[in-house]
Amino acid sequence: MKVVIIGGVAGGATAAARLRRLDEQAEIVVFERSGYVSYANCGLPYYIGGVIEDPEALTLQTPESFFSRFRVTMKVRHEATALHPERKTVSVKNLETDEEFEEPYDKLLLSPGAKPTQPRLPGVGLEKLFTLRTVEDTFRIKDYIRQNHPRSAVLAGGGFIGLELAENLRELGMEVTIVQRPKQLMNPFDPDMAAFIHSEVRANGVKLALGYTVEGFQERDGGVDVLLKDNAPLHADMVVLAIGVTPDTALAKEAGLELGLKGSIVVNSRMETSLPDIYAVGDAVQVRHSVTGQDVLLSLAGPANKQGRIAADNICGGDSRYLGSQGSSVLKVFGMTAAVTGVSETNAKKAGLDADAVVLSPMSHAGYYPGGKLMTMKVIFEKETFRLLGAQIVGYEGVDKRIDVLAAAIHAGLTAIRLKDLDLAYAPPYSSAKDPVNMAGFLIENLAKGVVKQFRIEDVGGLPRDGSVTLLDARTPQEYAGGHIEGFRNIPVDELRQRLEEIAPGKPVYVICQSGLRSYIACRILAGHGYEAHNFSGGFRFYDAVANDRRLIESATACGMDQ
């Protein structure tokens, strides 16, 4: 059996290694357009910033090392130019010699990946305008910085690459501005949780131009003007396009393979395309979201590796299945960690799901053990069924392990209430006896059983201020004086029982505190005395962070750059 693989990196290289482990006799040939067959995409921004110093550390395998261990022929700088399914061959061009030839196959695996989205705008292609996707792109940016010492950069796009690059360019001492049309960074997060990411980015000197439409690029004064619709241009010494990626599927289209979202390759659960003996994996394929059941594109290394393994199994006669993607990911944002799994509340509602969420602010470990830090968790679930839909966490220590527990719970089909039953490791330096994941389960169980009712940040503006309801802040007078929501009166939770006569009977009471715990206790006290009480999800800390972020974005959109 001869297997030809187009594209290396995560999906193609993983498939090649798995194929050899399953079949010692198979002939395996990989064609890779770039000069590197297996490299660490996710590490590229950290090489630019100097965190990774040795460029060879980016190269996970070389053609020589791959052949030595796996007897796989890796041909870099070879571009597949056409597929011929009718005669089971691939047209290939050697980019170093311009030689062209046809390579026959018994099985073909497509792993072309995705390419940086290049908008059709004036000025795309300028010398000082870069994209970051390959090792060659990385060296180009690194060399430009080393030779020209730019003092400023504009990054068009605020996703994973944009944020990682912003951090690394700031570490080099550059002024950095992120500009994009959406009014939030990191689309997998809900806007309220993205507010904490925005705050960390701003605190580290990155300017945000959110809600701005880029209309083109123009050279001026030795740098580049980023032209904005209805606004003055942004000027910088260099610009990096990081507005997303597009499946690189021109070959598949020309060969007549069925295509899906944004021209991606349609595959079944066995990673088989619409044509016999042709498989596809990685960023170029359309997959099913395991929570919503909808078709999606997810450019992540973990799914690509799994898909490569599955395709190899099936090429060798097995019956492995890809169960779908749920988008689990984690990101370092300067000193903060931001992580997500499943579907956001925003996207759950777009998908037609009746979603709700709880927000909590637990410590990373036991409060009495030194060094604990707050994290903000949002856990999304389906009303009525309490099916666990997704989670988002921003914080410092312990974020990654909590998101992994929640990702496993979603995959296992646990309800959000069952989070309370998980038996998780505890020692004071690492967690609390009631782990944050358990706490989320407790909160959701209380909602399910009617022990407490909640109101959310989007409800605050619509609460009547005419006396028909009571708005109560259960924090201390000092906390209240430091900032509060207009219309909420202050009665500390520890004084509530003695001051119940100040709360009009027969009217709903909406209660807030700093994190949600004291207001929950106040709600239980009120319920015990016949009041209908509602607890604010997330507390004033959450409300203040989100409200402040919204003010900054709106004022920047109206008046100029976000500082």
Side-chain angles (χ1 to χ4, degrees), residues 230-241:
D230 300 328
N231 284 277
L234 297 171
H235 185 77
D237 296 329
M238 62 181 293
V239 175
V240 181
L241 289 179

Side-chain angles (χ1 to χ4, degrees), residues 97 112 116 119 127 156 172 192 198 208 232 238 292 317 326 398 403 489 491:
T97 67
E127 182 183 357
L172 294 175
D192 50 11
H198 298 168
L208 298 181
M238 62 181 293
T292 66
Q326 64 186 58
I403 207 69
R489 60 174 300 194
I491 300 180

Side-chain angles (χ1 to χ4, degrees), residues 432-450:
S432 300
K434 297 176 182 176
D435 188 86
V437 174
N438 297 137
M439 291 298 299
F442 295 148
L443 282 175
I444 296 167
E445 182 188 41
N446 283 340
L447 292 174
K449 292 185 174 180

Side-chain angles (χ1 to χ4, degrees), residues 406-445:
L406 289 159
I410 292 172
H411 183 80
L414 298 185
T415 66
I417 297 171
R418 289 289 306 280
L419 296 176
K420 69 183 178 64
D421 300 319
L422 294 177
D423 192 352
L424 304 174
Y426 159 62
Y430 302 104
S431 184
S432 300
K434 297 176 182 176
D435 188 86
V437 174
N438 297 137
M439 291 298 299
F442 295 148
L443 282 175
I444 296 167
E445 182 188 41

